[in-house]
Amino acid sequence: FAKEDLEAISLLKEHRGSLHDFARNHIRDIQFVPAGESGSLWERVRGDLAFPCVSQGELNVDDATALEQNDCQAVFECADRACTTNARIIFEDRGLLFGPSKAVNSG
C-alpha cells in the first residue's frame, strides 16, 4: 500500500465503508476474495499482507502454511485472536511478521 491508499482506507473506515468498496474503486492490484467458496480462503489469496477479520481461532496451521506458500510477508489480526497459537508459531518459524490483535486494534 502507498501512503495515499492507507489515508483513503482510513477515511473510508471513518465513514463505516468496507474494504470491498476500496478494492472495487481503486485501479490497483487489490484482490477481494469473498468467503463461502470451496477451499480455504487463504489458499486463494496471493499478496504481501494479510488482515484476517475472522472469528477467534479461525485461522489455523493449514491457513498459515498457505499464506506463507503464497508469499505473504506479514499478518495483522484485525479480529480478536483470529489466529490459533499453532498458526502464530508457523508465522514465527517461517519469518513472517505478525501483528497480534491486541496491538493491531489498540488504536
XYZ file of all heavy atoms in Angstrom:
827
model
N 0.824 -1.180 0.000
C 0.000 0.000 0.000
C 0.869 1.245 0.000
O 1.866 1.310 0.705
C -0.869 0.048 1.257
C -1.999 -0.931 1.271
C -1.937 -2.058 2.060
C -3.123 -0.725 0.501
C -2.978 -2.962 2.097
C -4.166 -1.617 0.532
C -4.099 -2.732 1.330
N 0.463 2.233 -0.725
C 1.103 3.542 -0.678
C 0.451 4.358 0.438
O -0.646 4.028 0.917
C 0.927 4.252 -2.016
N 1.105 5.417 0.861
C 0.573 6.266 1.920
C -0.832 6.760 1.566
O -1.716 6.808 2.414
C 1.509 7.450 2.150
C 1.047 8.374 3.238
C 1.992 9.539 3.447
C 1.444 10.452 4.524
N 2.242 11.657 4.659
N -1.039 7.093 0.297
C -2.352 7.580 -0.143
C -3.437 6.506 0.021
O -4.579 6.810 0.343
C -2.294 8.039 -1.608
C -1.395 9.223 -1.856
C 0.088 8.840 -1.944
O 0.417 7.664 -2.248
O 0.918 9.723 -1.668
N -3.059 5.249 -0.215
C -4.009 4.150 -0.039
C -4.431 4.030 1.421
O -5.613 3.870 1.723
C -3.399 2.818 -0.483
C -3.126 2.757 -1.971
O -3.841 3.424 -2.741
O -2.196 2.038 -2.359
N -3.456 4.104 2.321
C -3.763 3.987 3.748
C -4.632 5.147 4.215
O -5.543 4.966 5.016
C -2.478 3.903 4.563
C -1.637 2.654 4.293
C -0.338 2.714 5.091
C -2.398 1.392 4.623
N -4.378 6.347 3.688
C -5.211 7.503 4.034
C -6.632 7.313 3.510
O -7.598 7.630 4.209
C -4.591 8.780 3.477
C -3.314 9.178 4.195
C -2.553 10.300 3.505
O -2.912 10.693 2.368
O -1.574 10.776 4.114
N -6.763 6.777 2.296
C -8.094 6.529 1.720
C -8.843 5.469 2.523
O -10.046 5.605 2.776
C -7.961 6.099 0.259
N -8.136 4.422 2.947
C -8.767 3.378 3.756
C -9.200 3.941 5.097
O -10.305 3.665 5.575
C -7.811 2.179 3.945
C -7.655 1.436 2.615
C -8.313 1.226 5.025
C -6.561 0.391 2.618
N -8.365 4.752 5.714
C -8.705 5.364 7.000
C -9.968 6.211 6.876
O -10.879 6.122 7.710
C -7.535 6.213 7.494
O -7.855 6.844 8.701
N -10.038 7.029 5.842
C -11.217 7.864 5.619
C -12.450 7.002 5.363
O -13.528 7.270 5.903
C -10.967 8.812 4.445
C -12.065 9.805 4.125
C -12.308 10.748 5.310
C -11.705 10.609 2.891
N -12.291 5.976 4.565
C -13.397 5.070 4.266
C -13.931 4.420 5.537
O -15.139 4.364 5.771
C -12.914 3.991 3.286
C -13.935 2.970 2.822
C -14.911 3.615 1.854
C -13.223 1.809 2.155
N -13.023 3.943 6.398
C -13.442 3.285 7.638
C -14.075 4.271 8.620
O -14.959 3.894 9.382
C -12.258 2.558 8.281
C -11.696 1.405 7.443
C -12.745 0.428 6.973
C -13.217 -0.490 8.036
N -14.255 -1.429 7.604
N -13.632 5.528 8.614
C -14.263 6.541 9.473
C -15.741 6.694 9.135
O -16.546 7.011 9.996
C -13.569 7.890 9.300
C -12.255 8.004 10.010
C -11.583 9.343 9.769
O -12.287 10.336 9.500
O -10.344 9.389 9.839
N -16.077 6.477 7.871
C -17.461 6.601 7.416
C -18.149 5.252 7.274
O -19.123 5.113 6.556
C -17.510 7.367 6.102
C -17.003 8.768 6.203
N -17.024 9.518 7.354
C -16.433 9.573 5.288
C -16.514 10.703 7.150
N -16.133 10.770 5.898
N -17.582 4.242 7.976
C -18.146 2.895 8.018
C -18.213 2.210 6.658
O -19.062 1.365 6.402
C -19.548 2.912 8.639
C -19.575 3.423 10.055
C -19.829 2.251 10.889
N -20.084 2.490 12.286
C -19.337 1.967 13.227
N -18.293 1.276 12.914
N -19.637 2.127 14.481
N -17.296 2.560 5.747
C -17.218 1.909 4.446
C -16.513 0.566 4.567
O -15.912 0.252 5.591
N -16.580 -0.224 3.523
C -15.947 -1.547 3.553
C -14.702 -1.561 2.673
O -14.567 -0.767 1.742
C -16.925 -2.615 3.075
O -17.063 -2.554 1.673
N -13.799 -2.482 2.979
C -12.610 -2.640 2.145
C -12.980 -3.136 0.753
O -12.254 -2.897 -0.206
C -11.616 -3.579 2.812
C -10.954 -3.023 4.071
C -10.039 -4.074 4.690
C -10.202 -1.750 3.797
N -14.112 -3.806 0.647
C -14.595 -4.221 -0.669
C -14.824 -2.991 -1.540
O -14.478 -2.985 -2.723
C -15.879 -5.041 -0.527
C -16.385 -5.562 -1.827
N -17.449 -5.004 -2.483
C -15.950 -6.584 -2.609
C -17.660 -5.656 -3.606
N -16.771 -6.615 -3.704
N -15.386 -1.931 -0.963
C -15.583 -0.680 -1.703
C -14.245 -0.118 -2.165
O -14.109 0.356 -3.293
C -16.304 0.359 -0.847
C -17.720 -0.044 -0.492
O -18.321 -0.843 -1.243
O -18.220 0.430 0.543
N -13.266 -0.147 -1.278
C -11.939 0.346 -1.636
C -11.353 -0.452 -2.799
O -10.855 0.106 -3.764
C -11.006 0.284 -0.419
C -9.602 0.736 -0.714
C -9.294 2.083 -0.754
C -8.608 -0.182 -0.983
C -8.008 2.510 -1.045
C -7.324 0.230 -1.268
C -7.026 1.590 -1.299
N -11.422 -1.770 -2.703
C -10.878 -2.631 -3.745
C -11.581 -2.395 -5.080
O -10.941 -2.352 -6.133
C -10.998 -4.096 -3.340
N -12.883 -2.208 -5.031
C -13.659 -2.021 -6.253
C -13.367 -0.671 -6.904
O -13.369 -0.554 -8.121
C -15.145 -2.145 -5.920
C -16.054 -2.039 -7.123
C -17.520 -2.196 -6.769
N -17.815 -1.465 -5.551
C -18.648 -1.886 -4.617
N -19.295 -3.012 -4.753
N -18.875 -1.174 -3.526
N -13.088 0.361 -6.094
C -12.949 1.717 -6.610
C -11.527 2.138 -6.937
O -11.323 3.216 -7.461
C -13.549 2.709 -5.608
C -15.044 2.517 -5.460
O -15.732 2.179 -6.415
N -15.556 2.712 -4.268
N -10.556 1.333 -6.622
C -9.172 1.699 -6.897
C -8.602 0.770 -7.963
O -8.742 -0.443 -7.884
C -8.318 1.627 -5.627
C -8.557 2.776 -4.715
N -9.712 2.926 -3.984
C -7.793 3.851 -4.432
C -9.647 4.031 -3.281
N -8.487 4.614 -3.540
N -7.960 1.364 -8.938
C -7.362 0.571 -10.012
C -5.949 0.218 -9.575
O -4.983 0.898 -9.835
C -7.347 1.368 -11.331
C -8.757 1.783 -11.693
C -6.721 0.532 -12.451
C -8.852 2.730 -12.857
N -5.859 -0.864 -8.833
C -4.584 -1.375 -8.338
C -4.716 -2.884 -8.230
O -5.779 -3.439 -8.425
C -4.246 -0.786 -6.966
C -3.987 0.693 -7.028
C -3.598 1.181 -5.648
N -2.693 2.269 -5.849
C -1.390 2.217 -5.668
N -0.813 1.142 -5.241
N -0.630 3.252 -5.886
N -3.658 -3.510 -7.840
C -3.671 -4.959 -7.687
C -4.185 -5.355 -6.316
O -3.491 -5.989 -5.535
C -2.270 -5.535 -7.903
C -1.825 -5.395 -9.335
O -2.697 -5.384 -10.212
O -0.618 -5.296 -9.575
N -5.415 -4.975 -6.032
C -6.056 -5.332 -4.773
C -7.095 -6.386 -5.083
O -7.905 -6.227 -5.986
C -6.699 -4.104 -4.105
C -5.606 -3.102 -3.733
C -7.501 -4.519 -2.893
C -6.146 -1.805 -3.232
N -7.070 -7.447 -4.334
C -7.956 -8.570 -4.593
C -8.910 -8.748 -3.421
O -8.481 -8.903 -2.291
C -7.104 -9.826 -4.772
C -7.893 -11.069 -5.024
C -6.989 -12.295 -5.092
O -5.840 -12.262 -4.692
N -7.534 -13.370 -5.601
N -10.204 -8.698 -3.688
C -11.218 -9.003 -2.682
C -11.678 -10.419 -2.926
O -12.150 -10.754 -4.002
C -12.399 -8.034 -2.778
C -13.488 -8.353 -1.803
C -13.353 -8.028 -0.465
C -14.631 -8.995 -2.208
C -14.337 -8.334 0.442
C -15.639 -9.304 -1.311
C -15.491 -8.966 0.020
N -11.500 -11.277 -1.925
C -11.868 -12.686 -2.056
C -12.981 -12.974 -1.054
O -12.738 -13.043 0.144
C -10.658 -13.603 -1.799
C -11.062 -15.055 -1.942
C -9.518 -13.256 -2.721
N -14.209 -13.116 -1.529
C -15.307 -13.384 -0.606
C -15.221 -14.776 -0.007
O -14.733 -15.706 -0.642
C -16.553 -13.234 -1.474
C -16.085 -13.506 -2.862
C -14.650 -13.050 -2.921
N -15.675 -14.896 1.211
C -15.735 -16.201 1.866
C -16.874 -17.005 1.262
O -17.709 -16.479 0.536
C -15.942 -16.020 3.356
N -16.900 -18.271 1.568
C -18.024 -19.095 1.147
C -17.751 -19.962 -0.064
O -18.526 -20.836 -0.379
N -16.653 -19.709 -0.777
C -16.306 -20.569 -1.896
C -15.573 -21.790 -1.347
O -15.143 -21.810 -0.202
C -15.446 -19.804 -2.896
C -16.192 -18.632 -3.518
C -15.333 -17.825 -4.468
O -14.265 -18.324 -4.871
O -15.732 -16.716 -4.800
N -15.405 -22.800 -2.166
C -14.777 -24.028 -1.678
C -13.297 -23.815 -1.363
O -12.644 -22.971 -1.948
C -14.931 -25.139 -2.723
O -14.251 -24.778 -3.895
N -12.796 -24.590 -0.410
C -11.405 -24.490 -0.017
C -11.177 -23.335 0.944
O -12.048 -22.508 1.181
N -9.991 -23.292 1.482
C -9.626 -22.230 2.407
C -9.491 -20.906 1.671
O -8.903 -20.839 0.589
C -8.301 -22.571 3.090
O -7.785 -21.449 3.764
N -10.011 -19.875 2.254
C -9.873 -18.527 1.701
C -8.407 -18.195 1.495
O -8.001 -17.625 0.487
C -10.521 -17.526 2.668
C -10.241 -16.061 2.436
C -11.024 -15.574 1.238
C -10.607 -15.253 3.664
N -7.565 -18.592 2.447
C -6.149 -18.227 2.429
C -5.369 -18.979 1.363
O -4.292 -18.537 0.968
C -5.557 -18.414 3.820
C -6.339 -17.619 4.812
C -7.210 -18.108 5.735
C -6.391 -16.194 4.928
N -7.781 -17.064 6.434
C -7.293 -15.881 5.951
C -5.753 -15.148 4.268
C -7.579 -14.575 6.337
C -6.038 -13.848 4.654
C -6.933 -13.575 5.673
N -5.899 -20.075 0.852
C -5.261 -20.770 -0.259
C -5.469 -20.013 -1.563
O -4.701 -20.171 -2.506
C -5.838 -22.178 -0.410
C -5.477 -23.111 0.716
C -6.220 -24.430 0.631
O -7.148 -24.562 -0.200
O -5.878 -25.340 1.393
N -6.501 -19.191 -1.621
C -6.853 -18.478 -2.849
C -6.300 -17.066 -2.900
O -6.468 -16.372 -3.889
C -8.377 -18.431 -2.998
C -8.976 -19.819 -3.144
C -10.480 -19.777 -3.267
N -11.059 -19.626 -1.930
C -12.060 -18.806 -1.642
N -12.600 -18.070 -2.564
N -12.524 -18.732 -0.405
N -5.637 -16.629 -1.840
C -5.148 -15.260 -1.760
C -3.639 -15.236 -1.963
O -2.911 -16.017 -1.379
C -5.492 -14.648 -0.380
C -4.870 -13.279 -0.224
C -6.991 -14.576 -0.200
N -3.195 -14.330 -2.799
C -1.771 -14.140 -3.018
C -1.495 -12.661 -2.767
O -2.111 -11.800 -3.372
C -1.420 -14.526 -4.448
C 0.033 -14.588 -4.711
C 0.290 -15.314 -6.045
N 1.622 -15.838 -6.038
C 1.977 -17.005 -5.541
N 1.069 -17.784 -5.024
N 3.223 -17.394 -5.547
N -0.598 -12.381 -1.836
C -0.281 -10.988 -1.556
C 0.763 -10.865 -0.471
O 1.134 -11.841 0.186
N 1.233 -9.650 -0.282
C 2.282 -9.378 0.694
C 1.763 -9.329 2.123
O 2.467 -9.683 3.052
C 2.962 -8.051 0.383
C 3.673 -8.072 -0.951
O 4.157 -9.146 -1.353
O 3.741 -7.017 -1.601
N 0.533 -8.843 2.299
C -0.027 -8.630 3.633
C -1.374 -9.326 3.762
O -2.145 -9.369 2.819
C -0.220 -7.133 3.890
C 0.990 -6.239 3.660
C 0.601 -4.780 3.798
C 2.108 -6.590 4.629
N -1.665 -9.819 4.969
C -2.965 -10.441 5.241
C -3.549 -9.794 6.493
O -2.837 -9.544 7.469
C -2.823 -11.941 5.439
N -4.842 -9.514 6.444
C -5.565 -8.897 7.541
C -6.776 -9.756 7.894
O -7.898 -9.439 7.505
C -6.029 -7.485 7.152
C -4.904 -6.556 6.782
C -4.417 -6.504 5.485
C -4.341 -5.742 7.744
C -3.380 -5.646 5.145
C -3.304 -4.875 7.418
C -2.819 -4.830 6.112
N -6.578 -10.873 8.599
C -7.716 -11.747 8.898
C -8.725 -11.074 9.831
O -8.365 -10.568 10.888
C -7.068 -12.968 9.559
C -5.731 -12.508 10.032
C -5.319 -11.395 9.125
N -9.959 -11.058 9.392
C -11.074 -10.498 10.164
C -12.078 -11.620 10.374
O -13.197 -11.567 9.876
C -11.705 -9.340 9.407
S -10.567 -8.036 8.980
N -11.671 -12.633 11.080
C -12.468 -13.840 11.261
C -12.752 -14.050 12.736
O -12.273 -13.313 13.579
C -11.729 -15.072 10.679
C -11.528 -14.927 9.179
C -10.381 -15.271 11.349
N -13.490 -15.083 13.041
C -13.779 -15.408 14.439
C -12.517 -15.871 15.153
O -11.549 -16.301 14.524
C -14.821 -16.524 14.516
O -16.012 -16.108 13.909
N -12.542 -15.821 16.456
C -11.398 -16.208 17.277
C -10.927 -17.619 16.936
O -11.715 -18.548 16.870
C -11.768 -16.120 18.743
C -10.625 -16.424 19.678
C -11.007 -16.161 21.125
O -11.910 -15.399 21.411
N -10.314 -16.807 22.027
N -9.633 -17.757 16.687
C -9.038 -19.062 16.441
C -9.388 -19.696 15.109
O -9.221 -20.897 14.927
N -9.851 -18.912 14.162
C -10.310 -19.483 12.901
C -9.181 -19.678 11.883
O -9.252 -20.545 11.034
C -11.400 -18.590 12.302
C -12.224 -19.290 11.258
C -13.463 -18.511 10.891
O -14.182 -18.062 11.797
O -13.701 -18.349 9.692
N -8.124 -18.885 11.952
C -7.002 -19.049 11.046
C -6.053 -20.071 11.668
O -5.458 -19.814 12.700
C -6.296 -17.704 10.813
C -5.363 -17.679 9.607
C -5.408 -16.323 8.938
C -3.964 -18.054 9.983
N -5.948 -21.236 11.041
C -5.233 -22.364 11.637
C -3.891 -22.629 10.950
O -3.454 -21.856 10.102
C -6.126 -23.606 11.620
C -6.513 -24.004 10.210
O -5.763 -23.829 9.269
N -7.716 -24.561 10.072
N -3.257 -23.736 11.295
C -1.943 -24.097 10.754
C -1.985 -24.236 9.228
O -1.077 -23.757 8.535
C -1.429 -25.410 11.401
C -0.194 -25.929 10.695
C -1.137 -25.182 12.868
N -3.013 -24.882 8.698
C -3.119 -25.036 7.241
C -3.216 -23.681 6.554
O -2.605 -23.452 5.511
C -4.327 -25.897 6.870
C -4.178 -27.347 7.308
O -3.027 -27.802 7.480
O -5.211 -28.013 7.493
N -3.987 -22.773 7.149
C -4.126 -21.433 6.588
C -2.803 -20.665 6.667
O -2.417 -19.976 5.718
C -5.207 -20.649 7.334
C -6.579 -21.299 7.233
O -6.885 -21.893 6.177
O -7.346 -21.211 8.208
N -2.119 -20.776 7.802
C -0.830 -20.102 7.978
C 0.181 -20.612 6.954
O 0.928 -19.823 6.357
C -0.319 -20.319 9.398
N 0.183 -21.913 6.728
C 1.090 -22.501 5.741
C 0.747 -22.010 4.341
O 1.641 -21.679 3.553
C 1.024 -24.043 5.812
O 1.390 -24.450 7.135
C 1.943 -24.690 4.802
N -0.540 -21.931 4.021
C -0.974 -21.436 2.709
C -0.533 -19.988 2.506
O -0.064 -19.621 1.424
C -2.489 -21.558 2.569
N -0.665 -19.150 3.531
C -0.227 -17.760 3.416
C 1.267 -17.686 3.129
O 1.708 -16.942 2.251
C -0.551 -16.985 4.703
C -1.998 -16.581 4.873
C -2.254 -16.093 6.296
C -2.366 -15.505 3.863
N 2.042 -18.461 3.857
C 3.493 -18.459 3.670
C 3.852 -18.951 2.271
O 4.699 -18.369 1.598
C 4.144 -19.335 4.748
C 5.651 -19.269 4.759
C 6.299 -20.362 3.949
O 5.697 -21.433 3.790
O 7.416 -20.131 3.461
N 3.185 -19.978 1.795
C 3.462 -20.519 0.465
C 3.044 -19.558 -0.643
O 3.573 -19.623 -1.751
C 2.780 -21.868 0.291
C 3.417 -22.957 1.128
C 2.652 -24.275 1.087
O 1.502 -24.341 0.665
N 3.298 -25.327 1.551
N 2.110 -18.660 -0.342
C 1.653 -17.668 -1.313
C 2.395 -16.346 -1.177
O 1.909 -15.304 -1.602
C 0.140 -17.450 -1.190
C -0.633 -18.604 -1.772
O -0.140 -19.323 -2.627
N -1.852 -18.789 -1.311
N 3.578 -16.402 -0.557
C 4.492 -15.261 -0.466
C 4.017 -14.119 0.424
O 4.455 -12.984 0.266
C 4.823 -14.714 -1.862
C 5.489 -15.758 -2.739
O 6.271 -16.553 -2.200
O 5.212 -15.774 -3.956
N 3.151 -14.396 1.373
C 2.729 -13.382 2.330
C 3.926 -13.031 3.216
O 4.680 -13.904 3.633
C 1.572 -13.907 3.182
S 0.897 -12.691 4.308
N 4.089 -11.737 3.515
C 5.215 -11.273 4.320
C 4.817 -10.921 5.747
O 5.649 -10.930 6.650
C 5.845 -10.041 3.669
C 6.362 -10.302 2.268
C 7.459 -11.335 2.240
O 8.440 -11.226 2.970
N 7.305 -12.363 1.420
N 3.524 -10.568 5.947
C 3.082 -10.137 7.271
C 1.593 -10.400 7.450
O 0.815 -10.315 6.497
C 3.367 -8.656 7.481
N 1.214 -10.719 8.684
C -0.184 -10.985 9.036
C -0.543 -10.093 10.217
O 0.171 -10.057 11.216
C -0.389 -12.473 9.415
C -1.828 -12.728 9.835
C 0.001 -13.378 8.252
N -1.651 -9.367 10.087
C -2.126 -8.476 11.141
C -3.542 -8.893 11.533
O -4.462 -8.801 10.720
C -2.128 -7.021 10.654
C -0.775 -6.566 10.185
C -0.437 -6.608 8.841
C 0.165 -6.127 11.097
C 0.812 -6.200 8.410
C 1.417 -5.715 10.677
C 1.748 -5.755 9.326
N -3.701 -9.358 12.765
C -5.015 -9.817 13.229
C -5.939 -8.618 13.422
O -5.691 -7.769 14.271
C -4.896 -10.528 14.579
C -4.313 -11.895 14.534
C -4.297 -12.525 15.913
O -3.810 -11.884 16.867
O -4.758 -13.660 16.029
N -6.994 -8.572 12.642
C -7.976 -7.493 12.778
C -9.148 -7.914 13.655
O -9.957 -7.092 14.033
C -8.462 -7.048 11.407
S -7.150 -6.296 10.437
N -9.255 -9.174 13.954
C -10.275 -9.697 14.858
C -9.570 -10.176 16.121
O -8.369 -10.446 16.116
C -11.027 -10.849 14.202
N -10.307 -10.280 17.192
C -9.732 -10.699 18.469
C -9.181 -12.116 18.373
O -9.927 -13.072 18.190
C -10.798 -10.607 19.568
C -10.231 -10.890 20.941
O -9.044 -10.625 21.173
O -10.999 -11.387 21.792
N -7.872 -12.237 18.449
C -7.172 -13.525 18.426
C -7.656 -14.428 17.286
O -8.044 -15.574 17.487
C -7.282 -14.196 19.780
C -6.578 -13.356 20.822
C -6.571 -13.844 22.228
N -7.064 -15.165 22.470
C -7.629 -15.531 23.600
N -7.781 -14.681 24.569
N -8.042 -16.768 23.770
N -7.594 -13.892 16.076
C -8.087 -14.612 14.895
C -7.272 -15.854 14.574
O -7.778 -16.791 13.965
C -8.090 -13.673 13.690
N -6.005 -15.884 14.979
C -5.118 -16.996 14.640
C -4.935 -17.932 15.827
O -4.831 -17.495 16.975
C -3.748 -16.457 14.229
S -3.831 -15.299 12.852
N -4.850 -19.210 15.537
C -4.568 -20.177 16.595
C -3.117 -20.013 17.038
O -2.285 -19.438 16.325
C -4.788 -21.623 16.103
O -3.840 -21.903 15.066
C -6.204 -21.843 15.621
N -2.806 -20.543 18.203
C -1.430 -20.499 18.710
C -0.484 -21.183 17.743
O 0.618 -20.687 17.474
C -1.355 -21.163 20.100
O -2.222 -20.453 20.986
C 0.054 -21.149 20.641
N -0.892 -22.303 17.187
C -0.036 -23.033 16.250
C 0.177 -22.263 14.949
O 1.247 -22.355 14.344
C -0.588 -24.424 15.977
C -0.453 -25.326 17.183
O 0.414 -25.115 18.030
N -1.306 -26.327 17.285
N -0.824 -21.497 14.517
C -0.646 -20.649 13.331
C 0.390 -19.571 13.621
O 1.252 -19.281 12.785
C -1.976 -20.020 12.923
N 0.344 -18.996 14.812
C 1.339 -17.983 15.198
C 2.745 -18.582 15.198
O 3.706 -17.921 14.798
C 1.011 -17.428 16.579
C -0.264 -16.635 16.606
C -0.568 -16.214 18.015
N -1.877 -15.586 18.061
C -2.290 -14.838 19.049
N -1.516 -14.621 20.093
N -3.482 -14.295 19.024
N 2.877 -19.814 15.632
C 4.180 -20.488 15.634
C 4.690 -20.645 14.204
O 5.873 -20.434 13.926
C 4.084 -21.845 16.370
C 3.857 -21.604 17.865
C 5.329 -22.691 16.122
C 3.485 -22.858 18.647
N 3.791 -20.988 13.283
C 4.168 -21.107 11.865
C 4.715 -19.769 11.363
O 5.758 -19.718 10.710
C 2.961 -21.544 10.998
C 2.521 -22.963 11.341
C 3.268 -21.399 9.502
C 3.465 -24.047 10.901
N 4.015 -18.672 11.666
C 4.471 -17.350 11.219
C 5.875 -17.064 11.752
O 6.753 -16.612 11.016
C 3.517 -16.247 11.675
C 2.117 -16.374 11.139
C 1.031 -16.039 11.926
C 1.877 -16.818 9.852
C -0.259 -16.134 11.443
C 0.583 -16.932 9.353
C -0.487 -16.587 10.154
N 6.073 -17.317 13.027
C 7.365 -17.050 13.656
C 8.466 -17.935 13.062
O 9.540 -17.441 12.703
C 7.270 -17.284 15.163
C 8.541 -16.942 15.903
C 8.389 -17.128 17.401
O 7.323 -16.778 17.948
O 9.352 -17.620 18.014
N 8.193 -19.224 12.943
C 9.197 -20.159 12.424
C 9.583 -19.860 10.985
O 10.709 -20.135 10.571
C 8.687 -21.604 12.510
C 8.642 -22.144 13.929
O 9.197 -21.487 14.838
O 8.050 -23.223 14.124
N 8.654 -19.321 10.219
C 8.912 -19.099 8.788
C 9.240 -17.648 8.468
O 9.329 -17.265 7.299
C 7.730 -19.599 7.980
C 7.553 -21.102 8.258
C 6.709 -21.797 7.299
N 6.590 -23.201 7.675
C 5.638 -23.982 7.244
N 4.731 -23.539 6.418
N 5.599 -25.236 7.632
N 9.380 -16.824 9.494
C 9.857 -15.450 9.299
C 8.830 -14.436 8.837
O 9.200 -13.371 8.343
N 7.544 -14.730 9.009
C 6.523 -13.742 8.675
C 6.356 -12.782 9.845
O 6.376 -13.195 11.009
C 5.171 -14.411 8.396
C 4.947 -14.991 7.007
C 5.723 -16.271 6.823
C 3.476 -15.228 6.782
N 6.190 -11.504 9.549
C 5.876 -10.544 10.594
C 4.461 -10.823 11.071
O 3.582 -11.163 10.276
C 5.973 -9.119 10.064
C 7.345 -8.666 9.581
C 7.244 -7.285 8.952
C 8.336 -8.674 10.713
N 4.217 -10.661 12.354
C 2.897 -10.934 12.905
C 2.489 -9.815 13.855
O 3.228 -9.471 14.776
C 2.880 -12.272 13.645
C 1.552 -12.590 14.270
C 0.467 -12.909 13.479
C 1.385 -12.524 15.638
C -0.762 -13.188 14.043
C 0.152 -12.795 16.219
C -0.914 -13.135 15.414
N 1.328 -9.236 13.605
C 0.756 -8.220 14.477
C -0.426 -8.815 15.219
O -1.473 -9.048 14.608
N -0.273 -9.083 16.513
C -1.389 -9.652 17.276
C -2.537 -8.652 17.428
O -2.319 -7.438 17.410
C -0.764 -9.999 18.619
C 0.418 -9.105 18.734
C 0.897 -8.857 17.347
N -3.731 -9.172 17.610
C -4.920 -8.310 17.667
C -4.817 -7.251 18.754
O -5.266 -6.125 18.563
C -6.174 -9.156 17.867
O -6.090 -9.909 19.071
N -4.236 -7.589 19.868
C -4.128 -6.618 20.963
C -3.343 -5.386 20.531
O -3.682 -4.267 20.907
C -3.475 -7.275 22.185
C -3.531 -6.433 23.420
C -3.092 -7.229 24.616
C -3.346 -6.417 25.874
N -3.095 -7.189 27.084
N -2.303 -5.570 19.738
C -1.508 -4.441 19.245
C -2.179 -3.765 18.038
O -2.233 -2.531 17.955
C -0.122 -4.921 18.868
N -2.713 -4.547 17.133
C -3.308 -4.009 15.907
C -4.538 -3.153 16.210
O -4.753 -2.108 15.595
C -3.675 -5.147 14.932
C -4.492 -4.650 13.761
C -2.412 -5.842 14.448
N -5.340 -3.582 17.176
C -6.602 -2.895 17.469
C -6.513 -1.923 18.636
O -7.539 -1.425 19.099
C -7.691 -3.935 17.746
C -7.972 -4.760 16.519
O -8.147 -4.238 15.433
N -7.993 -6.070 16.684
N -5.313 -1.620 19.094
C -5.191 -0.767 20.284
C -5.411 0.713 19.987
O -5.527 1.508 20.890
C -3.821 -0.965 20.947
O -2.807 -0.483 20.088
N -5.487 1.069 18.728
C -5.746 2.469 18.378
C -4.488 3.135 18.063
O -4.171 4.110 17.673
